Amino acid sequence: MPSPEERVLILAPRGRDAAVIEQVLDRAGLAAAVCADVTEWVSCLRAGAGSAIVTEEALADSDMQALSGWLDAQPPWSDFPFIVLATRQAGPRTQRAADSLKRLGNVVLLERPINAETLTSAVVSSLRARRRQYQAREHLLERERAQDQLRRANEGLERRVAERTREVEAAHETLAFALDAAGMSSWDIDTETGIHRRSPGFDAVFGYEGSGRAWDRESFLDHVVEEDRDTVAEAFASVAETSKLDFECRIRRVDGAIRWIAMRGQVKRDTDGRPLRIAGILMDRTEQHITEEALRQAQKMEAIGQLTGGVAHDFNNLLTVIVGGLDMMLRRPEQTDRLKRLAEAAMGAARRGEQLTQQLLAFSRRQMLRPQTLNPNRLLLDFRPLAERAATGAVELTFDLDPALDPIRIDPAQFESAVLNLIVNARDALEGRDGPARIVVTSRNVRLGTAAVADRGVPPGPYVVVSVADTGSGIPPDKLQRVFEPFFTTKEVGKGTGLGLSQVYGFTRSAKGFAQIESKVGRGTTVSLYFPRSTDPAGEEAGTGPVGAIPLRRAGEGETVLLVEDDEQVLGMAVESLEELRYRVIVTRNAAEALEHLHGVERIDILFSDVVMPGGMNGSQLAVEARRVRPDIKILLTSGYVANLDEGQVLGQGELPVLNKPYRRDELARSLRLVLGGERV
């Protein structure tokens, strides 16, 4: 059934015109509907039609008000086509008839009589025109629908943008609040435009009010204290390569106050690797530095308290033996056997005190060192019998040594002492353990990267590692971090002084290496000693085993010693020992007095000087000056302490032999014999 919008409405109330027109249209296959009057006709127009045929007389006889209302109500796309069948007239139409035709608008006027073909053609043309109007209507409706969808989409987008804006603003507010609470401020630099953005707290760190100040690298560096400026400049210069900015420094605020700050940043690049922007945070770390310094001071005082308490405890035990023995010797000096026994006990206690002092000096890296470039495997193999005796037969001691081990520069005596300490500790950890008791000593070449040495205070590169591992009881995690502290021990009371591992720690640090410990409870412990590889060739090193007995050397006729010692009691003991050895002694108490004698003409065969002395010149400096004044003079230094690490590492290297304090007369005689030459006994 055809759509109402395709039909043709016929209004021809007189005669048979309506029936004839309907038949003509029906034969042409066009749908038509005959209306009895204008009222029905207008009603059908409202219902929908493609065209309308109306006779002129029907228009003349009808009330046009309803039709005019419908015409005025047409939508913008509609211009309804009318076919008016007019009666041939001899003269012009009346004004009313002309107005009616004009009022219809889109009118095709056909004068009667007309043939069927003309009428059909006119109807088809009007229907075609109406269809184009319907197409325009669809386009308009589609456009309206699209506009409505676009409007709704825009409204949704605006809503989402507004919501997102509120979220971003809330996030910015939260971030700003969090940064401010954490003492941080943000900054952002657009590398293409050079635009700087920063939070208000940034300028406040430097003492400025508001955020209107212009910043660049130079203005920032102007605030950095001079001592830190080069470090900060290097950090800025490395950003292009590392894409990161990370440094801490001190700045001087506008008001002159010094503050600690930390700056962190990262570069954002495009797909081609070009930098787009760099952003980060600025932190005021002054309060944190103050707190950390207070904590370090508290830890230092706690460590000093532990150290002094341990030293006092051990030395009081030793002094009890020495003081008590001397007291009893003074009370009954006539009992020779008893006197000898008490003296031997006092001497033993004094030797233990000497060993305790050497351990303390090793921990503090103030011991006298005699470094050599050597292959540590040679030392380990040489002292293997001693290590096996220390481990006892109940423990399986294995040496797993790399035959291609690199040379290192160390003091062989200190090295052997350190490894022996570790073996003894491992043996003690194996006591009472079920299962196999095993100790493994290994040596390997390793290469440590930056991450591996980040918190070790040593540079990355090639190292030699010597490890001692056991299958013992292990060390609990809460105690593992303290094992290198002096006088801290995991052993039972009376089974350890707590200085063994601290001595190992100090020795490795003196050798520019570090010590590392790993342990699991019930599974054992591994202590590893890392030493930097030496670029010098390994020499024919000797172990530290017992040397051949050297005969006691007494002075030749007139041989003179220039003695330099600031401690009166040590000076008196040294003078008495030298005179017993038949040397002539020139006594001085500082370097200035010694130089006066050196510039004189009297005979001086050997300079015997303490290393640490008051007056601005120490013993090693005096030795250099003495060689300048008297090139052929022999020199022997003595000390129980060196003021700095470098001095301690070079004093014992051939040209400046050193006699460690405390020393006995025989040890002094042997050292003098070695320095002056052993041709006379």
Side-chain angles (χ1 to χ4, degrees), residues 535-660:
T535 56
D536 299 331
E540 291 296 325
E541 69 281 352
T544 59
V547 296
I550 301 176
L552 183 65
R553 180 191 193 278
R554 298 187 183 276
E557 184 176 352
E559 284 187 327
T560 303
V561 175
L562 176 60
L563 175 62
V564 190
E565 175 60 62
D566 61 291
D567 186 283
E568 290 296 334
Q569 291 183 330
V570 176
L571 180 66
M573 186 277 297
V575 169
E576 187 170 342
S577 296
L578 289 169
E579 289 179 346
E580 273 197 10
L581 294 171
R582 301 175 185 172
Y583 287 97
R584 188 172 74 87
V585 182
I586 301 173
V587 176
T588 60
R589 291 168 176 79
N590 53 56
E593 293 181 11
L595 285 173
E596 290 181 6
H597 290 279
L598 288 169
H599 283 92
V601 296
E602 59 188 318
R603 175 179 176 177
I604 299 176
D605 296 284
I606 185 170
L607 169 67
F608 180 40
S609 173
D610 192 8
V611 173
V612 180
M613 296 185 298
M617 179 180 288
N618 61 32
S620 59
Q621 293 168 332
L622 173 61
V624 173
E625 185 65 18
R627 284 273 172 84
R628 190 185 65 81
V629 176
R630 298 193 181 197
D632 297 329
I633 194 172
K634 305 294 185 180
I635 296 173
L636 175 63
L637 300 179
T638 181
S639 181
Y641 166 80
V642 290
N644 58 69
L645 177 59
D646 291 336
E647 183 180 77
Q649 290 195 343
V650 303
L651 279 178
Q653 297 187 33
E655 292 187 3
L656 294 178
V658 179
L659 174 62
N660 289 332

Side-chain angles (χ1 to χ4, degrees), residues 426-544:
R427 178 204 64 195
D428 293 344
L430 291 167
E431 289 184 0
R433 294 284 296 169
D434 295 331
R438 190 176 182 215
I439 300 173
V440 180
V441 180
T442 63
S443 65
R444 293 289 185 272
N445 294 323
V446 296
R447 176 169 288 276
L448 301 180
T450 303
V453 299
D455 57 347
R456 301 294 183 180
V458 297
Y463 282 78
V464 170
V465 55
V466 176
S467 301
V468 177
D470 64 65
T471 57
S473 56
I475 302 173
D478 59 325
K479 296 181 179 180
L480 190 63
Q481 302 302 319
R482 300 187 60 196
V483 294
F484 290 122
E485 296 178 11
F487 294 103
F488 178 82
T489 179
T490 59
K491 301 177 182 179
E492 297 178 6
V493 176
K495 290 192 175 182
T497 64
L499 283 172
L501 285 179
S502 62
Q503 180 184 7
V504 172
Y505 168 84
F507 161 63
T508 55
R509 297 302 292 174
S510 297
K512 296 182 170 57
F514 64 93
Q516 177 178 289
I517 185 167
E518 299 173 347
S519 184
K520 290 186 178 180
V521 176
R523 299 183 62 180
T525 302
T526 300
V527 182
S528 302
L529 311 182
Y530 289 83
F531 305 95
R533 183 186 68 186
S534 176
T535 56
D536 299 331
E540 291 296 325
E541 69 281 352
T544 59

Side-chain angles (χ1 to χ4, degrees), residues 207-405:
Y208 294 105
E209 296 182 0
S211 57
R213 177 175 173 79
W215 285 96
D216 57 23
R217 188 173 72 167
E218 296 306 319
S219 60
F220 183 92
L221 288 174
D222 286 343
H223 281 279
V224 179
V225 298
E226 186 174 354
E227 294 82 357
D228 298 350
R229 200 165 294 165
D230 290 342
T231 301
V232 176
E234 290 175 4
F236 278 124
S238 66
V239 171
E241 180 181 353
T242 64
S243 296
K244 291 183 180 296
L245 186 67
D246 188 353
F247 65 83
E248 288 190 21
C249 69
R250 291 164 294 171
I251 62 165
R252 180 171 283 103
R253 288 165 45 100
V254 177
D255 57 9
I258 301 297
R259 307 287 290 180
W260 275 96
I261 65 165
M263 204 166 189
R264 310 278 188 272
Q266 187 163 352
V267 176
K268 181 180 180 181
R269 300 179 182 272
D270 61 13
T271 54
D272 296 328
R274 292 175 300 184
L276 297 176
R277 57 186 293 205
I278 178 171
I281 58 172
L282 176 76
M283 295 174 284
D284 186 336
R285 298 197 60 194
T286 307
E287 299 304 323
Q288 183 177 350
H289 267 271
I290 293 174
T291 303
E292 290 175 352
E293 184 60 31
L295 176 60
R296 281 193 293 270
Q297 186 65 22
Q299 292 173 334
K300 183 191 300 183
M301 296 307 296
E302 181 181 355
I304 291 174
Q306 178 176 310
L307 178 62
T308 54
V311 171
H313 173 270
D314 284 8
F315 267 102
N316 278 334
N317 286 341
L318 299 174
L319 290 173
T320 298
V321 176
I322 296 171
V323 172
L326 292 175
D327 178 62
M328 287 186 285
M329 283 189 284
L330 290 173
R331 290 177 182 275
R332 296 181 181 180
E334 71 281 356
Q335 297 180 357
T336 306
D337 292 340
R338 182 171 177 269
L339 190 70
K340 182 179 180 181
R341 177 170 51 81
L342 292 173
E344 289 175 348
M347 179 62 74
R351 286 302 185 188
R352 291 197 299 275
E354 177 187 1
Q355 182 181 8
L356 177 63
T357 303
Q358 291 301 319
Q359 289 176 321
L360 288 171
L361 291 174
F363 169 74
S364 63
R365 288 177 282 166
R366 293 295 184 268
Q367 81 275 37
M368 205 72 67
L369 297 179
R370 293 175 175 84
Q372 301 177 24
T373 300
L374 45 80
N375 186 326
N377 283 351
R378 292 280 301 277
L379 290 179
L380 292 172
L381 292 174
D382 286 347
F383 99 116
R384 181 170 183 167
L386 176 61
E388 290 174 341
R389 288 195 298 274
T392 72
V395 177
E396 179 187 355
L397 180 62
T398 304
F399 284 73
D400 179 13
L401 309 180
D402 183 357
L405 200 66

Side-chain angles (χ1 to χ4, degrees), residues 73-298:
Q74 287 186 98
W77 57 268
S78 178
D79 188 11
F80 193 83
F82 291 95
I83 301 173
V84 178
L85 303 180
T87 304
R88 187 184 300 275
Q89 298 181 6
R93 288 181 175 82
T94 64
Q95 184 63 40
R96 184 172 183 276
D99 289 343
S100 296
L101 293 175
K102 184 178 180 182
R103 186 73 183 85
L104 292 177
N106 186 6
V107 175
V108 175
L109 189 62
L110 299 178
E111 290 188 354
R112 293 176 291 189
I114 58 174
N115 57 40
E117 290 80 3
T118 302
L119 179 61
T120 300
S121 177
V123 171
V124 170
S125 295
S126 64
L127 287 173
R128 186 182 301 115
R130 187 60 174 171
R131 290 190 192 99
R132 285 195 293 269
Q133 292 179 19
Y134 288 150
Q135 291 174 354
R137 177 190 65 183
E138 291 303 319
H139 288 315
L140 289 173
L141 290 175
E142 184 64 30
R143 181 179 176 184
E144 289 177 358
R145 285 193 294 270
Q147 288 177 339
D148 184 61
Q149 290 177 352
L150 180 60
R151 177 185 55 78
R152 290 197 298 269
N154 286 337
E155 290 176 352
L157 179 60
E158 290 176 358
R159 184 174 60 255
R160 289 194 297 273
V161 169
E163 291 173 355
R164 183 58 179 163
T165 301
R166 288 193 295 271
E167 291 175 359
V168 171
E169 290 176 350
H172 282 170
E173 182 180 353
T174 302
L175 177 60
F177 180 76
L179 289 175
D180 185 63
M184 302 179 184
S185 55
S186 61
W187 53 271
D188 186 355
I189 303 173
D190 190 319
T191 56
E192 293 184 336
T193 63
I195 296 175
H196 293 62
R197 291 177 291 270
R198 59 194 181 277
S199 60
F202 187 98
D203 289 359
V205 171
F206 295 86
Y208 294 105
E209 296 182 0
S211 57
R213 177 175 173 79
W215 285 96
D216 57 23
R217 188 173 72 167
E218 296 306 319
S219 60
F220 183 92
L221 288 174
D222 286 343
H223 281 279
V224 179
V225 298
E226 186 174 354
E227 294 82 357
D228 298 350
R229 200 165 294 165
D230 290 342
T231 301
V232 176
E234 290 175 4
F236 278 124
S238 66
V239 171
E241 180 181 353
T242 64
S243 296
K244 291 183 180 296
L245 186 67
D246 188 353
F247 65 83
E248 288 190 21
C249 69
R250 291 164 294 171
I251 62 165
R252 180 171 283 103
R253 288 165 45 100
V254 177
D255 57 9
I258 301 297
R259 307 287 290 180
W260 275 96
I261 65 165
M263 204 166 189
R264 310 278 188 272
Q266 187 163 352
V267 176
K268 181 180 180 181
R269 300 179 182 272
D270 61 13
T271 54
D272 296 328
R274 292 175 300 184
L276 297 176
R277 57 186 293 205
I278 178 171
I281 58 172
L282 176 76
M283 295 174 284
D284 186 336
R285 298 197 60 194
T286 307
E287 299 304 323
Q288 183 177 350
H289 267 271
I290 293 174
T291 303
E292 290 175 352
E293 184 60 31
L295 176 60
R296 281 193 293 270
Q297 186 65 22

